Amino acid sequence: MSENLAGGLATESEILATAETWRLAGRSVALATVTETWGSAPRPVGSHLVIDGDGNFLGSVSGGCVEGAVVTEAIDVIASGVPKLLEFGVADETAWRVGLSCGGRIAVHVVPVR
Amino acid sequence: MDLALLSALNRHRNAREAVALVTDLESGAARLVTPEGLAGDPAAEALVEAFRTGKSAKVITGERPEFIDVHVPPVQLIVIGAVHISQALAEMARLVELDCTLIDPREAFATPERFPNVRLIAEWPDVALPPLKPDRFTAFVALTHDPKIDDPALTIALRAGCFYIGALGSRKTHARRLERLAAAGFADADLARIHAPIGLDIGAVSPAEIAVSILAEIIGTHRQRRRG
């Protein structure tokens, strides 16, 4: 379902251009942005992930650790039209929570593109 | 975020213009700000810093949390002359993530065999340079020694305000170059921006060593400007 499996391969220009192209093509779109990081974080502040209503995505906010959760939240944001500020911390395997195995924390802001 | 705002952001990026997308983290309201248009913006002070460092950051404006998503053009390296030094320079530039383009009108020099995996333009600088939009995020290096090729290119680089301009040649060669450029109307202050002899003085001998010295000077100029 993804057009780029959470690799950091897409450039920032490709991600932002894709957000625009998808929206122009009539797809519903959300843009996720890393707004803060604490400790060791896989992707720097300002990294982007673009998501459409069907769960297709391009870009990376964590190098693969929490993309799945961000995509799920983004589909909510697209449906509700209300932005969300998400925080992800250390992975907790016993609680089955998604998180960052590197031990860092990140904040991700998800907004709908109208 | 409105689609119109996203489109405007992409237009600025494609034109290699610095721009910041400022988003209120509570309401989601967003605005675009350029370095020329930041006077009067509530987050002006933080924006100045963001444009200077190129780093995006969360800030508190008044009492509201905002995110400054700053976009400054990636640094590009334009090299005039498909010579030995350029072969090493192009490879090293890729490692330090400079977006490198080589220009040389002499087709015998500018061959893909000598320069695999590099953007190579076999044209005169006055044709090849303008579409690359040299600007203050551009490092420019002239390596042909040939005034017919180097001089017109240096003229464009000086006018474009490239953050680094270097030209290969001995002190004597450079003195004659400065005379020609002065005669073409450049002031001393402009000409003083040309690094010549090119590169940090590390006693470089081989083409690859000279490439190291040039690259080190470019990195030093770039990072110190941001640090300063």
Side-chain angles (χ1 to χ4, degrees):
Chain A
M1 81 177 189
S2 75
E3 296 179 20
N4 176 347
L5 272 172
L9 299 172
T11 65
E12 213 55 19
S13 290
E14 285 163 357
I15 297 162
L16 294 170
T18 297
E20 186 181 349
T21 309
W22 284 0
R23 192 67 199 89
L24 285 171
R27 292 155 79 165
S28 50
V29 173
L31 187 65
T33 307
V34 178
T35 55
E36 282 185 279
T37 66
W38 298 267
S40 112
R43 301 283 296 139
V45 168
S47 300
H48 293 292
L49 178 71
V50 55
I51 307 100
D52 80 357
D54 295 328
N56 296 298
F57 65 93
L58 184 74
S60 169
V61 291
S62 76
C65 304
V66 300
E67 268 71 11
V70 174
V71 169
T72 306
E73 295 282 357
I75 292 170
D76 270 6
V77 166
I78 287 170
S80 70
V82 180
K84 270 191 190 179
L85 191 56
L86 313 171
E87 263 194 45
F88 297 96
V90 185
D92 181 347
E93 283 174 40
T94 53
W96 290 99
R97 260 185 29 219
V98 291
L100 301 167
S101 51
C102 54
R105 279 198 299 142
I106 61 172
V108 179
H109 195 227
V110 187
V111 299
V113 178
R114 283 184 277 261
Chain B
M1 174 168 56
D2 287 334
L3 174 60
L5 208 59
L6 177 62
S7 301
L9 172 65
N10 282 332
R11 273 200 304 279
H12 282 290
R13 287 181 56 98
N14 292 337
R16 288 183 61 78
E17 293 163 0
V19 64
L21 175 67
V22 186
T23 305
D24 185 313
L25 288 174
E26 284 169 359
S27 69
R31 61 187 186 278
L32 273 192
V33 187
T34 61
E36 298 74 30
L38 60 76
D41 190 282
E45 208 171 304
L47 280 161
V48 169
E49 182 66 7
F51 282 122
R52 191 180 70 81
T53 61
K55 289 207 164 120
S56 298
K58 180 183 165 186
V59 297
I60 304 294
T61 306
E63 306 230 308
R64 303 192 70 82
E66 292 192 310
F67 184 67
I68 298 178
D69 187 0
V70 70
H71 301 258
V72 297
V75 172
Q76 69 169 338
L77 169 63
I78 298 176
V79 181
I80 307 295
V83 297
H84 274 126
I85 297 170
S86 327
Q87 287 178 303
L89 193 55
E91 269 190 61
M92 295 175 191
R94 186 170 48 79
L95 294 176
V96 296
E97 294 183 61
L98 293 174
D99 182 12
C100 181
T101 305
L102 291 177
I103 297 170
D104 198 320
R106 301 166 299 181
E107 286 172 5
F109 286 75
T111 65
E113 291 74 30
R114 300 182 68 221
F115 293 92
N117 314 318
V118 183
R119 193 181 310 126
L120 190 60
I121 307 177
E123 279 285 0
W124 290 87
D126 57 339
V127 176
L129 271 174
L132 298 174
K133 298 179 182 152
D135 55 21
R136 65 194 183 90
F137 301 100
T138 301
F140 171 91
V141 172
L143 300 178
T144 73
H145 289 114
D146 184 341
K148 282 200 307 297
I149 303 172
D150 282 355
D151 283 12
L154 281 164
T155 301
I156 293 171
L158 283 165
R159 290 202 180 119
C162 296
F163 77 87
Y164 175 90
I165 300 176
L168 190 70
S170 66
R171 287 196 164 74
K172 207 190 271 179
T173 304
H174 187 58
R176 285 198 295 272
R177 176 187 291 137
L178 292 182
E179 284 169 20
R180 291 191 304 273
L181 290 171
F186 283 105
D188 288 351
D190 297 324
L191 298 178
R193 296 183 40 234
I194 303 176
H195 292 260
I198 196 169
L200 292 187
D201 185 4
I202 56 173
V205 176
S206 71
E209 289 173 2
I210 295 168
V212 168
S213 79
I214 294 171
L215 212 46
E217 194 168 52
I218 291 171
I219 293 168
T221 307
H222 175 52
R223 294 296 180 200
Q224 276 159 23
R225 180 185 59 161
R226 289 203 164 167
R227 204 166 55 199

